[in-house]
Amino acid sequence: MSQPRTIIQKIWDSHVVCQPPGAPALLYIDLHLVHEVTSPQAFDGLRQRGLKVRRPDRTFGTCDHSTPTTPRDLPIVDPIARAQVEQFEKNCREFGIPHFGFQNPRQGIVHVIGPEHGLTQPGMTIVCGDSHTATHGAFGALAFGIGTSQVEHVLATQCLLQAPSKSFAVRVDGRLRPGVTAKDIILALIAKIGVGGGTGCVFEYTGAAIRALSMEERMTVCNMSIEGGARAGLIAPDETTFEFLAGRPFAPKGEAWERAVAFWKSLPTDEGATYDREVSIDASSLEPMITYGTNPGMGIPISAPVPDPAEAPDAVERETRRKALAYMGIEPGKPLTGRPVNVVFIGSCTNSRMTDLRAAATVLRGRKVSPNVRVLVVPGSQSIKRQAEAEGLDRIFREAGAEWREAGCSMCIAMNGDQLAPGEYAVSTSNRNFEGRQGKGGRTFLASPLTAAASAVTGVVTDPRPLLG
Amino acid sequence: MEKFTAFESWVAVLPVDNIDTDQIIPARFLKTTSKEGLGDQLFFDWRYDADGNPRPDFVINRPPGNRAQVLLAGDNFGCGSSREHAPWALTQFGFRAVISTSFADIFKGNALKNALLPIVVPAEIHARLLKMLEADPLAQVRVDLASQTLTLPDGTAVEFPVDSFAKTCLLEGIDELGFLLKHEAEIAAYEQAHPAPVDTLSVKLDA
Ligand code: SF4
């Protein structure tokens, strides 16, 4: 019998091209996703060396980050963003890479369109010049973010020089209570282990609460692996995974499907395999989570008081938390509930898929958003937008007084004109609450779509549970 | 790539934990399609006031921080996005090394590819260096990659870990892409033996 292996090791082993002496392994990349922000300098590098893209048939592009979410028949107003999007489309055409340009009706956030079209499949290695590539781990793929130099490496060779990561089992048992979501699981994990907790590791999420999640919810969990310091996070594939993939444009068909499923079933971690690190969480004890500070580890249950920086374990951490509270303009000792907010953002690769929009709609249906709050609902892709419209969700949002926009990263990263004004507070379903992340001087509370929608209705930070049916 | 040589330098002190890439260079500057001009945008929102004037008290706006080649930062430096604009901004400003108790993974890899040395030291050394620099802000450290030592102002030599391949690349000026391209034969053999799970050109999606 061979050594029992984790799914992480299995994927790693089957993608090592060679192991040159004194160097990291060459790891083969099955799927390379590109977008407009982290690729232009890489394409320039190829041109300077006179190189081609080695495997355009394993590469796929979309624009999302600096892409406006205003109606698509309007041009891109910001000349710098427009130049970047145009350069991206030009690069893809020149190098023969299939892509969704600005006007394409399937355009969307890179981590949304991959799974949506069945490009993301179990057992694959997937990279993208974007730290939230971990999202694709929901399918049991080893998916991680890379820098622009590495984007160039993969374009040119389809390989990366890579050392193996440590494995970190994140066990989530029990059952989520009503009003508590996948987003709350991942925020609770990061609050527990800290933003550096998973450094050097790949998470494997296991346990009954993870198994019970839909694919979309699994993507929400894996998405924020990077916020816990891990480069990747994955979930072993199961029937839920196969069911999601069946019939998607790039998913295998007929006999190839049968073969693929048989292979995918061989991926889960073997009995007796060991991990370098482990942590466990009881899902049934979780409440809706919200962050109070300027990194995603500063999260608390929504009814809990904001912790006093004086209680931090060491001097630098004390200083970091003090600085965070000063930036946020909040005092320790009281919960965040009841604090006025200016903006609610429902979107981003963390929470912009159909289940997220449906969840937000359950709260907003038949209600009005507070007159003091600007509410943006930004679907993760144009396909999701159409689907939501077919289900009538857009009407629910519009009638409630929310803005229903075109697909893109939008106020998750505030590169496309959707941004907070200095000092404004937002409840956001995105993944980062760093200083200025949603606009210079803007202040972000990260939470689930339910919490965001509830806060939109009341105009203050709100526990969604009393508003649910 | 130029060879990475030993050097002595003043230190810019920014002892904040979890300095993320949005602080190193805010996302609104990522709309560029080149690598130029990012040094002026380094730590932009901390460095300039609302009117765009440099804050005179911010560490890299005043001596010796404005001429330091070494940055002393808090734990988990470079967390957040994968943007390589972060090390580009740091090196364009003039930094060649960052000292911390730990670095975020992607940042560390990106830094090494751009001749920016991430130096990990134990918490106790970090605290000592911080004290020395508080007492004498003009004190210097010496960084020697070949021997993997950081020499503190009081002469204490501290060893730091570096991935051995990254070290060779830096010292000898080898670029990783050149190294990868030499393995064409192995890559082609791998591709022969492993059919693609997905062919992104196989489906013509209706527009
Ligand atoms: S939605 Fe936000 S986190 Fe996701 S890819 Fe876009 S900018 Fe990055």
Side-chain angles (χ1 to χ4, degrees), chain B residues 110-122:
Chain B
N110 284 342
L112 287 166
K113 286 177 185 57
N114 287 281
L116 178 68
L117 188 63
I119 300 179
V120 178
V121 296

PDB file of all heavy atoms in Angstrom, chain B residues 110-122:
ATOM      1  N   ASN B 110       7.014  37.487  -4.688  1.00  0.00           N
ATOM      2  CA  ASN B 110       7.110  38.617  -5.614  1.00  0.00           C
ATOM      3  C   ASN B 110       8.344  39.470  -5.314  1.00  0.00           C
ATOM      4  O   ASN B 110       9.020  39.947  -6.221  1.00  0.00           O
ATOM      5  CB  ASN B 110       5.863  39.506  -5.504  1.00  0.00           C
ATOM      6  CG  ASN B 110       4.656  38.900  -6.194  1.00  0.00           C
ATOM      7  OD1 ASN B 110       4.790  38.008  -7.029  1.00  0.00           O
ATOM      8  ND2 ASN B 110       3.477  39.380  -5.844  1.00  0.00           N
ATOM      9  N   ALA B 111       8.616  39.678  -4.033  1.00  0.00           N
ATOM     10  CA  ALA B 111       9.754  40.512  -3.640  1.00  0.00           C
ATOM     11  C   ALA B 111      11.060  39.898  -4.144  1.00  0.00           C
ATOM     12  O   ALA B 111      11.880  40.571  -4.765  1.00  0.00           O
ATOM     13  CB  ALA B 111       9.789  40.671  -2.119  1.00  0.00           C
ATOM     14  N   LEU B 112      11.216  38.600  -3.902  1.00  0.00           N
ATOM     15  CA  LEU B 112      12.465  37.935  -4.293  1.00  0.00           C
ATOM     16  C   LEU B 112      12.680  38.006  -5.803  1.00  0.00           C
ATOM     17  O   LEU B 112      13.805  38.057  -6.276  1.00  0.00           O
ATOM     18  CB  LEU B 112      12.449  36.477  -3.830  1.00  0.00           C
ATOM     19  CG  LEU B 112      12.622  36.285  -2.314  1.00  0.00           C
ATOM     20  CD1 LEU B 112      12.255  34.858  -1.913  1.00  0.00           C
ATOM     21  CD2 LEU B 112      14.049  36.617  -1.872  1.00  0.00           C
ATOM     22  N   LYS B 113      11.594  38.014  -6.562  1.00  0.00           N
ATOM     23  CA  LYS B 113      11.723  38.099  -8.022  1.00  0.00           C
ATOM     24  C   LYS B 113      12.109  39.499  -8.467  1.00  0.00           C
ATOM     25  O   LYS B 113      12.384  39.727  -9.644  1.00  0.00           O
ATOM     26  CB  LYS B 113      10.417  37.684  -8.685  1.00  0.00           C
ATOM     27  CG  LYS B 113      10.220  36.195  -8.612  1.00  0.00           C
ATOM     28  CD  LYS B 113       8.916  35.754  -9.189  1.00  0.00           C
ATOM     29  CE  LYS B 113       8.735  34.266  -8.970  1.00  0.00           C
ATOM     30  NZ  LYS B 113       8.798  33.839  -7.551  1.00  0.00           N
ATOM     31  N   ASN B 114      12.090  40.448  -7.554  1.00  0.00           N
ATOM     32  CA  ASN B 114      12.399  41.828  -7.913  1.00  0.00           C
ATOM     33  C   ASN B 114      13.570  42.385  -7.100  1.00  0.00           C
ATOM     34  O   ASN B 114      13.661  43.591  -6.889  1.00  0.00           O
ATOM     35  CB  ASN B 114      11.153  42.689  -7.713  1.00  0.00           C
ATOM     36  CG  ASN B 114      10.113  42.403  -8.793  1.00  0.00           C
ATOM     37  OD1 ASN B 114      10.212  42.888  -9.908  1.00  0.00           O
ATOM     38  ND2 ASN B 114       9.131  41.566  -8.469  1.00  0.00           N
ATOM     39  N   ALA B 115      14.414  41.487  -6.632  1.00  0.00           N
ATOM     40  CA  ALA B 115      15.617  41.890  -5.907  1.00  0.00           C
ATOM     41  C   ALA B 115      15.308  42.732  -4.672  1.00  0.00           C
ATOM     42  O   ALA B 115      16.022  43.662  -4.326  1.00  0.00           O
ATOM     43  CB  ALA B 115      16.602  42.621  -6.832  1.00  0.00           C
ATOM     44  N   LEU B 116      14.194  42.397  -4.028  1.00  0.00           N
ATOM     45  CA  LEU B 116      13.871  43.005  -2.739  1.00  0.00           C
ATOM     46  C   LEU B 116      13.928  41.868  -1.726  1.00  0.00           C
ATOM     47  O   LEU B 116      13.179  40.903  -1.825  1.00  0.00           O
ATOM     48  CB  LEU B 116      12.464  43.621  -2.782  1.00  0.00           C
ATOM     49  CG  LEU B 116      11.974  44.244  -1.475  1.00  0.00           C
ATOM     50  CD1 LEU B 116      12.783  45.500  -1.134  1.00  0.00           C
ATOM     51  CD2 LEU B 116      10.492  44.605  -1.566  1.00  0.00           C
ATOM     52  N   LEU B 117      14.849  41.980  -0.777  1.00  0.00           N
ATOM     53  CA  LEU B 117      15.108  40.850   0.122  1.00  0.00           C
ATOM     54  C   LEU B 117      14.201  40.907   1.354  1.00  0.00           C
ATOM     55  O   LEU B 117      14.272  41.853   2.129  1.00  0.00           O
ATOM     56  CB  LEU B 117      16.581  40.898   0.551  1.00  0.00           C
ATOM     57  CG  LEU B 117      17.110  39.703   1.339  1.00  0.00           C
ATOM     58  CD1 LEU B 117      17.052  38.438   0.509  1.00  0.00           C
ATOM     59  CD2 LEU B 117      18.544  39.974   1.785  1.00  0.00           C
ATOM     60  N   PRO B 118      13.333  39.897   1.548  1.00  0.00           N
ATOM     61  CA  PRO B 118      12.545  39.838   2.778  1.00  0.00           C
ATOM     62  C   PRO B 118      13.376  39.171   3.873  1.00  0.00           C
ATOM     63  O   PRO B 118      13.776  38.019   3.727  1.00  0.00           O
ATOM     64  CB  PRO B 118      11.340  38.972   2.393  1.00  0.00           C
ATOM     65  CG  PRO B 118      11.710  38.273   1.123  1.00  0.00           C
ATOM     66  CD  PRO B 118      13.027  38.790   0.628  1.00  0.00           C
ATOM     67  N   ILE B 119      13.673  39.900   4.923  1.00  0.00           N
ATOM     68  CA  ILE B 119      14.519  39.362   5.998  1.00  0.00           C
ATOM     69  C   ILE B 119      13.649  39.059   7.218  1.00  0.00           C
ATOM     70  O   ILE B 119      13.091  39.969   7.828  1.00  0.00           O
ATOM     71  CB  ILE B 119      15.627  40.369   6.385  1.00  0.00           C
ATOM     72  CG1 ILE B 119      16.513  40.648   5.161  1.00  0.00           C
ATOM     73  CG2 ILE B 119      16.439  39.865   7.559  1.00  0.00           C
ATOM     74  CD1 ILE B 119      17.622  41.655   5.431  1.00  0.00           C
ATOM     75  N   VAL B 120      13.545  37.778   7.550  1.00  0.00           N
ATOM     76  CA  VAL B 120      12.739  37.371   8.700  1.00  0.00           C
ATOM     77  C   VAL B 120      13.644  37.245   9.919  1.00  0.00           C
ATOM     78  O   VAL B 120      14.642  36.523   9.882  1.00  0.00           O
ATOM     79  CB  VAL B 120      12.039  36.025   8.439  1.00  0.00           C
ATOM     80  CG1 VAL B 120      11.241  35.577   9.663  1.00  0.00           C
ATOM     81  CG2 VAL B 120      11.112  36.138   7.223  1.00  0.00           C
ATOM     82  N   VAL B 121      13.296  37.963  10.977  1.00  0.00           N
ATOM     83  CA  VAL B 121      14.070  37.854  12.222  1.00  0.00           C
ATOM     84  C   VAL B 121      13.136  37.463  13.366  1.00  0.00           C
ATOM     85  O   VAL B 121      11.938  37.730  13.305  1.00  0.00           O
ATOM     86  CB  VAL B 121      14.775  39.191  12.574  1.00  0.00           C
ATOM     87  CG1 VAL B 121      15.813  39.556  11.526  1.00  0.00           C
ATOM     88  CG2 VAL B 121      13.763  40.323  12.754  1.00  0.00           C
ATOM     89  N   PRO B 122      13.683  36.827  14.414  1.00  0.00           N
ATOM     90  CA  PRO B 122      12.859  36.491  15.579  1.00  0.00           C
ATOM     91  C   PRO B 122      12.325  37.760  16.248  1.00  0.00           C
ATOM     92  O   PRO B 122      12.955  38.826  16.154  1.00  0.00           O
ATOM     93  CB  PRO B 122      13.820  35.761  16.517  1.00  0.00           C
ATOM     94  CG  PRO B 122      15.008  35.400  15.701  1.00  0.00           C
ATOM     95  CD  PRO B 122      15.074  36.377  14.570  1.00  0.00           C
TER      96      PRO B 122
END
